[in-house]
Amino acid sequence: MTKQVRFDKKTRVVRALAQRIERGELGPGVRLPGEHELAAQFDVSRGTLREALTELKRCHYIATQMGVGSIVTYDGVPLPQGAGWAQALAAGATQVRTELLSLARAERPELAVRYGTAQFVLVERRRRAADGTLVSLERALVPARDGLEHLPEQGLVQGSLAATLAAHGFQGGQGNQWVGAEPLGEQAAAQLQRPAGTVFLKAVRETFDSRGRFMEQVESLLDPAHFQLHLSFGAPQ
C-alpha cells in the first residue's frame, strides 16, 4: 500500500466519523465500536484505523485514554494536575504569571476528621494573563507537618507548590475533584479585581499520597472565559 493510498483511507475514516459526531449520530458518552468492527466497516487495516482514531483524538472529537479522569484546560491547553498548573502553563507558552498572595499557618477544625489534622499552611495565589487580566485565584491547604509547617518562613521551592510537596516526600497517589460554578464573594472579587457576584468556575481537589496521607486540598476559582473542564473516558479502541 502506498503512503498516498494509506493517507486517503485514513482521511476517509476521519471525515466519516467526524461527520457522525457532528450530526449527533455518535453523541457525547457514546463508545465507538471496537477496532475490528470499525476496520471492517471502512474496509481499512487496523493500522490505518488507529491512525484515524489518533487524528480524531488530536482534534478533540474522541477520547481514547484509559479509565476515567478530568483535567482543566486553559485556552485549550491541558493542565495536568501532577506537575502543577504553574509549570503546565509555562510549558504551554501561555504567558500566565503566578502571584503569591499569602503563605501562612491556618487552623481549620472542621477539616480535622476528614484529613486527620486541623493545622494547615494556607497558600493563596492568583494568576494573571499576558494582558494583565486576573484569570484565577487558588487557595491551597497543606498539612503543617513533615517540614511543611516551616513554609511561611522558608517559602515555596522554586515558587511551586508541587515541587515543594515533592521535596518533602509527598507524591500524589489518589484523590477527588469537584467542579461547579458560583458567584464571587466580596473577598475573592477584590482579589480578582472583578465585581462581586461574577460567576467563576470553582474546582476543589483533594489529594492523598501513596500511603494514604493527606497531601493537599486546593480550591480554585477560574475565569470561564479561559478555563474549561475536559473529561476523557473509556479504554482505547
Side-chain angles (χ1 to χ4, degrees):
M1 181 184 296
T2 67
K3 289 184 178 180
Q4 183 61 44
V5 171
R6 188 181 181 90
F7 174 80
D8 289 344
K9 286 190 173 184
K10 182 193 79 171
T11 302
R12 175 167 56 83
V13 175
V14 170
R15 289 175 178 171
L17 288 174
Q19 287 173 359
R20 293 183 192 179
I21 294 169
E22 290 171 352
R23 289 196 299 261
E25 296 174 16
L26 293 170
V30 175
R31 187 172 181 177
L32 291 176
E35 282 186 1
H36 286 292
E37 184 177 342
L38 283 174
Q41 186 180 129
F42 290 105
D43 191 24
V44 297
S45 68
R46 291 183 67 183
T48 298
L49 177 68
R50 286 170 181 163
E51 289 178 3
L53 294 177
T54 298
E55 180 65 16
L56 287 166
K57 179 181 176 182
R58 187 185 69 80
C59 295
H60 305 294
Y61 278 101
I62 64 171
T64 58
Q65 297 175 348
M66 290 292 290
V68 177
S70 62
I71 59 174
V72 171
T73 66
Y74 178 81
D75 288 346
V77 178
L79 301 177
Q81 303 291 340
W85 289 4
Q87 290 97 321
L89 285 164
T94 52
Q95 297 183 323
V96 174
R97 186 171 73 253
T98 300
E99 301 173 356
L100 180 64
L101 298 180
S102 66
L103 186 59
R105 294 178 183 83
E107 187 172 358
R108 297 287 191 274
E110 69 277 12
L111 298 177
V113 173
R114 187 171 186 84
Y115 298 136
T117 182
Q119 304 301 318
F120 302 91
V121 173
L122 171 66
V123 185
E124 282 192 303
R125 296 176 292 180
R126 65 185 180 187
R127 294 188 168 92
R128 191 183 297 272
D131 64 1
T133 303
L134 289 166
V135 295
S136 74
L137 174 66
E138 178 183 283
R139 297 167 177 152
L141 290 171
V142 299
R145 64 168 186 261
D146 299 318
L148 293 175
E149 66 273 19
H150 303 304
L151 289 187
E153 295 79 31
Q154 297 175 345
L156 299 176
V157 175
Q158 300 174 352
S160 165
L161 182 55
T164 301
L165 288 167
H168 287 80
F170 287 88
Q171 298 291 337
Q174 62 170 331
N176 302 289
Q177 180 166 273
W178 299 265
V179 178
E182 69 175 37
L184 297 177
E186 294 289 344
Q187 181 180 358
Q191 290 173 307
L192 287 164
Q193 298 175 5
R194 301 291 183 93
T198 301
V199 176
F200 263 47
L201 293 175
K202 180 180 179 179
V204 179
R205 186 181 80 250
E206 61 179 15
T207 307
F208 301 86
D209 71 5
S210 57
R211 290 184 285 170
R213 296 183 303 168
F214 168 68
M215 182 171 154
E216 65 174 339
Q217 182 204 71
V218 182
E219 176 187 291
S220 301
L221 295 171
L222 310 167
D223 184 349
H226 294 280
F227 291 92
Q228 300 84 37
L229 178 70
H230 174 77
L231 177 67
S232 60
F233 55 90
Q237 297 293 324

